[in-house]
Amino acid sequence: MFNLVLFGPPGSGKGTQSANIIEKYQLVQLSTGDILRSEVKNETPLGLEAKKFMDQGMLVPDEVVIGMISSKLDENPDVKGFIFDGFPRTVAQAEALDNLLEFKKNPINVVISLLVAEEELKKRLVHRGEVSGRSDDNEEIIMNRIKEYHAKTSPVADYYQSKNKLVEVHGEGTVDEIFAAIATTIDSNL
Ligand code: AP5
């Protein structure tokens, strides 16, 4: 099994690159953002609770997302591996993921961190808000999401660095150029 964390700030291209990775490597994508948006859309109790945080650009509480990921791992026992997209986003989530995977004897192989300048992130997300209408893509909420990233999520990179699992990839340029760098990293860790 090959387990990959695709790490980076809001708008760094995690979702875009996950689609390419799935196609080439047949991994299963677990995007906590997508799972939460589906819960919100279906107005489940979990979705209604999560919406309060997502609408403000705040992180949803750890226990909610850890529980979601745990269920998804159990639902997919016989896969080639997982791409974790948008998870873990706190050190507590990273520790919980390590524990879940250790129990299954399939640890994280590599963490790819996409590096994108803040101005570029804002530009991408404002543009996406205009074309796709995603409700958390307006300037005020984008700024909150970036603040949450610096306060709670960037320490996750240090966590994986200390375990020698972090590889940084320049996340600006064309989608194909960035994917080529990601594929090189995956190939050297397979
Ligand atoms: P989530 O959906 O994970 O949002 P995010 O991290 O803010 O990431 P995005 O989906 O906005 O960006 P991305 O990096 O995937 O970039 P994308 O490929 O779309 O989370 C949303 C909310 O859910 C959070 O705020 C939180 O409340 C909650 N949540 C989720 N996970 C959680 C967790 N683990 N714990 C707690 N709460 C959680 O690209 C962005 C745009 O840029 C697109 O329009 C794309 O077309 C464009 N683009 C991509 N690549 C390029 C490129 N190379 N050049 C130009 N444009 C590009």
Side-chain angles (χ1 to χ4, degrees), residues 8-17 31-34 36-37 50 53-55 57-62 65 68 85-90 93 114 120-121 124-125 127-129 131 134 136-137 145 171-176 178:
S12 54
K14 302 182 295 292
T16 304
Q17 295 297 340
S31 159
T32 41
D34 287 350
L36 287 166
R37 276 184 289 280
F53 296 91
M54 296 170 78
D55 282 351
M58 310 291 289
L59 292 185
V60 172
D62 285 338
V65 283
M68 271 170 21
D85 161 5
F87 180 92
R89 255 181 153 99
T90 62
Q93 291 180 19
L114 295 171
E120 171 71 11
L121 297 174
R124 288 183 188 178
L125 294 175
H127 177 69
R128 187 177 64 187
V131 297
R134 194 168 125 173
D136 55 356
D137 280 347
R145 286 161 62 199
E172 294 184 46
T174 69
V175 170
D176 287 349
I178 299 161

Side-chain angles (χ1 to χ4, degrees), residues 3 37-38 44 56 65 69 81 89 109 117 141 144 172 180 190:
N3 288 320
R37 276 184 289 280
S38 151
T44 65
Q56 297 175 65
V65 283
I69 287 289
R89 255 181 153 99
N109 295 80
I141 299 175
N144 284 346
E172 294 184 46
L190 275 177

Side-chain angles (χ1 to χ4, degrees), residues 7-10 113 144-155 157:
F7 180 82
S113 169
N144 284 346
R145 286 161 62 199
I146 292 176
K147 263 196 226 153
E148 281 282 88
Y149 172 80
H150 288 304
K152 298 178 184 165
T153 305
S154 61

Side-chain angles (χ1 to χ4, degrees), residues 23-37:
E23 199 183 337
K24 179 158 179 174
Y25 296 98
Q26 286 95 46
L27 303 178
V28 170
Q29 180 194 20
L30 295 183
S31 159
T32 41
D34 287 350
I35 301 167
L36 287 166
R37 276 184 289 280

